Amino acid sequence: MSTSRNVTRAVNAVLDLAPRRGEVSLPRLVAAVSADRGRPIELATAELPAGVCGQWRQYTDHDVFLIQHGLPAWDRTLAHELGHLVLGHEGIHVLEAARENTEIASLELIGYMLNQRTGCMGPSGVDAEQEAEDFAALLIYRLGRLPCDRSSIVQVRLGEAFG
Ligand SMILES: [Zn+2]
């Protein structure tokens, strides 16, 4: 399946925000998107339910990308979650709704709902998960092909990225 114009445009838009100097790493791109939106995006690792690689949590004044603790290909997952955000997939509102209705939504429950969401259709009838995957693949490919003077480093140590 070829990458949709929508996804290509979103990847271009994110790369346009990349810092003009120094290395362009994925966490730096996330920070650039965050600055552009005027809404903080926090990165954190967490013990997520088995089978869940990452999670985008939307709070009223900020977003959090949670990455499964110890995940080897975390950059791919981070790019995937960023894809959901920039592509406007707001499917996790269901999560927010659940949190309002229950004192504490357990991680297991969140995992269950995320699994339910897998394969869901986006607003335009496009499979949101597929779109986020396409976005992640293209972004990481393009990051790896930036000119040398931008010294792109996709693989930053997890500890450096998440502080
Ligand atoms: Zn997803």
Side-chain angles (χ1 to χ4, degrees), residues 80 84 117 129:
H80 176 104
H84 278 309
R117 203 174 68 88
E129 287 309 316

Side-chain angles (χ1 to χ4, degrees), residues 88-101:
H89 301 159
E90 311 222 318
I92 302 193
H93 279 159
V94 64
L95 191 62
E96 289 294 326
R99 195 178 286 124
E100 283 166 22
N101 293 330

Side-chain angles (χ1 to χ4, degrees), residues 70-158:
L71 191 72
W74 63 272
D75 53 341
R76 177 68 179 238
T77 296
L78 182 55
H80 176 104
E81 299 305 327
L82 183 65
H84 278 309
L85 186 145
V86 299
L87 290 163
H89 301 159
E90 311 222 318
I92 302 193
H93 279 159
V94 64
L95 191 62
E96 289 294 326
R99 195 178 286 124
E100 283 166 22
N101 293 330
T102 53
E103 281 295 326
I104 299 161
S106 72
L107 277 179
E108 283 73 18
L109 177 60
I110 292 168
Y112 173 75
M113 288 187 295
L114 283 178
N115 288 335
Q116 291 300 299
R117 203 174 68 88
T118 300
C120 73
M121 305 300 265
S124 54
V126 178
D127 184 328
E129 287 309 316
Q130 186 59 52
E131 249 192 2
E133 273 303 294
D134 289 348
F135 175 93
L138 185 60
L139 182 63
I140 286 174
Y141 173 77
R142 295 274 302 276
L143 267 180
R145 288 175 58 93
L146 286 177
C148 292
D149 62 319
R150 305 287 301 277
S151 62
S152 64
I153 297 175
V154 178
Q155 293 285 353
V156 197
R157 291 218 340 272
L158 191 62

